[in-house]
């Protein structure tokens, strides 16, 4: 019980930290919490969030987030979103959503995660944010959700 309460408290502090504070934290420990779906994580009901591969071997791959925490990594590595890029670690980075806040966290990857050509351990994302893992460039988009629209299941990410 005490461990769960500590994890919840640490998770909540991730979202309260200023970006400069994130660099001073154990980023792997905080980012692992993003992947474990702590309480309070939720997708906004009025928005659709997608991650698209804009450059690299998996160019054209697009996934819509249907859960508020996902991992991104190399094909065959067990990540939620898998890209066919040998420079990408099995579990390279994670994206967590809590309401209107979106965070990208590197998961101690070998080649790093980059936003605006700077290596990051954690960074906020917003509509049209680009980030790079290995030789792949990914784009996050946040759009107003369309109600009643037909959904192509191949572009959705589902939890297993």
């Amino acid at each position: 019980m005490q461990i769960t309460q500590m994890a919840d408290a640490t998770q909540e502090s991730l979202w309260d930290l200023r970006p400069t504070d994130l660099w001073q934290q154990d980023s792997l420990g905080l980012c692992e919490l993003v992947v474990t779906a702590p309480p309070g994580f939720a997708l906004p009901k009025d928005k659709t969030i997608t991650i698209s591969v804009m450059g690299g071997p998996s160019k054209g791959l697009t996934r819509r987030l249907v859960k508020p925490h996902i991992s991104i990594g190399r094909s065959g590595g067990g990540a939620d979103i898998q890209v066919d890029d040998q420079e990408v670690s099995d579990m390279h980075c994670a994206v967590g959503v809590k309401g209107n806040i979106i965070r990208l966290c590197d998961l101690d990857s070998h080649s790093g995660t980059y936003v605006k050509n700077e290596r990051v351990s954690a960074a906020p994302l917003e509509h049209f944010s680009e980030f790079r893992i290995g030789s792949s460039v990914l784009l996050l988009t946040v759009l107003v959700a369309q109600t009643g629209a037909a959904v192509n299941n191949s572009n959705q990410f589902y939890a297993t």
Side-chain angles (χ1 to χ4, degrees), residues 5-112:
Q5 290 172 340
M6 285 177 49
D8 291 348
T10 303
Q11 162 49 35
E12 288 303 316
S13 69
L14 170 65
W15 298 100
D16 295 334
L17 292 173
R18 295 183 316 272
T20 55
D21 293 335
L22 288 170
W23 306 111
Q24 298 168 7
Q25 300 292 323
D26 174 4
S27 61
L28 182 58
L30 290 174
C31 290
E32 283 176 335
L33 291 171
V34 171
V35 178
T36 60
F41 272 43
L43 292 170
K45 293 182 186 344
D46 61 339
K47 304 275 191 302
T48 298
I49 301 172
T50 60
I51 294 179
S52 302
V53 180
M54 304 305 291
S58 292
K59 182 177 179 178
L61 175 74
T62 298
R63 295 291 182 255
R64 181 172 67 95
L65 276 62
V66 295
K67 70 176 197 172
H69 54 91
I70 57 107
S71 58
I72 303 171
R74 181 175 50 229
S75 292
D80 297 325
I81 296 177
Q82 298 182 21
V83 295
D84 187 21
D85 186 335
Q86 293 303 309
E87 295 178 34
V88 171
S89 299
D90 287 351
M91 292 289 196
H92 197 98
C93 62
V95 174
V97 181
K98 186 173 182 183
N100 290 324
I101 299 171
I102 305 170
R103 296 264 196 229
L104 170 68
C105 294
D106 185 82
L107 296 176
D108 199 27
S109 65
H110 179 70
S111 61

Side-chain angles (χ1 to χ4, degrees), residues 128-140:
F128 280 148
S129 289
E130 283 189 359
F131 58 98
R132 182 174 54 84
I133 58 173
S135 64
S136 299
V137 176
L138 290 84
L139 175 71
L140 180 122

